[in-house]
Amino acid sequence: MARQLPYSTLKHIFARFAEAEPHPKGELHHTNAFTLVVAVALSAQATDAGVNKATAKLFQIADTPEKMLTLGEDGLIEHIKTIGLFRNKAKNVIKLCRILIDDYDGQVPSSRAALQSLPGVGRKTANVVLNMWFHHPAQAVDTHIFRVGNRTGIAPGKDEVAVERAIEDNVPAEYQQHAHHWLILHGRYICVARKPKCGICPIEAWCQYEEKTA
């Protein structure tokens, strides 16, 4: 685990991220808060591209909890059967829809605790929804962010929650809203797991990773 980078260095790093991509966005397709919750829940152990392919037609006919319940579990499975763990995910989505209707008037709640009470919605999913839909600077830590945070020193931590807190505690406030998107994209396309592309890395000068590649 790298040591925590100081504030001045983080300012330089996130300024560089912001210069390269001023308005980063998540790659999961959605049309409203409900479809975002469903898409993120479906993305567990699946790629964003795979989820987007499966939900392209699904969200055209079931973009509310009521419509999803009408489609039913078997109908939902037909749309998402190319995604890993699709049967369990279908059960969770249907349960989630019933809870949204019964407890939240069919609306997606805007607190982390309420979101995490929904089947199939963990802390990461809740933070994605809070950040992307409700514009709360929540940090959704996935495997990419965990790797980048620890490898570079941007946000070291022993587990996902520790990395989340390191981002919240150390990244300058003006960069908090987009921090997790910048870090996810950096980990997905440049600071990859097996052979990071250090030669084209925009923050290489400040990174603590010792085994840099050409």
Side-chain angles (χ1 to χ4, degrees), residues 149-172:
N150 279 289
R151 180 183 275 173
T152 63
I154 290 173
K158 62 182 180 179
D159 54 35
E160 287 81 3
V161 174
V163 171
E164 178 186 329
R165 289 174 177 166
I167 296 172
E168 293 176 346
D169 290 347
N170 294 285
V171 173

Side-chain angles (χ1 to χ4, degrees), residues 80-170:
I80 68 170
K81 60 186 178 183
T82 57
I83 300 174
L85 306 175
F86 65 89
R87 293 189 187 280
N88 189 57
K89 290 177 179 178
K91 289 180 180 178
N92 282 336
V93 169
I94 295 302
K95 291 178 182 177
L96 176 154
C97 291
R98 292 196 182 101
I99 293 173
L100 287 178
I101 292 169
D102 293 343
D103 297 345
Y104 300 104
D105 297 321
Q107 302 299 311
V108 174
S110 60
S111 79
R112 183 182 289 116
L115 285 165
Q116 286 189 250
S117 73
L118 302 173
V121 176
R123 187 178 184 90
K124 184 185 77 172
T125 299
N127 283 344
V128 170
V129 176
L130 290 173
N131 183 286
M132 291 181 62
W133 192 261
F134 295 106
H135 306 295
H136 177 73
Q139 307 302 328
V141 177
D142 68 352
T143 55
H144 297 299
I145 293 182
F146 186 79
R147 178 178 66 254
V148 171
N150 279 289
R151 180 183 275 173
T152 63
I154 290 173
K158 62 182 180 179
D159 54 35
E160 287 81 3
V161 174
V163 171
E164 178 186 329
R165 289 174 177 166
I167 296 172
E168 293 176 346
D169 290 347
N170 294 285

Side-chain angles (χ1 to χ4, degrees), residues 1 8 12 14 33 44 53 58-60 79 96 110 124 135 142 152 159 166 168-169 179 187 192 204:
M1 183 187 301
S8 58
H12 287 301
F14 282 92
K53 184 176 180 180
L58 172 65
F59 291 160
Q60 291 178 11
H79 286 277
L96 176 154
S110 60
K124 184 185 77 172
H135 306 295
D142 68 352
T152 63
D159 54 35
E168 293 176 346
D169 290 347
V192 295
E204 188 271 340

Side-chain angles (χ1 to χ4, degrees), residues 51-73:
V51 173
N52 289 339
K53 184 176 180 180
T55 59
K57 292 183 179 179
L58 172 65
F59 291 160
Q60 291 178 11
I61 61 174
D63 60 353
T64 67
E66 294 82 2
K67 292 177 182 178
M68 192 69 76
L69 283 181
T70 299
L71 181 64
E73 188 174 322

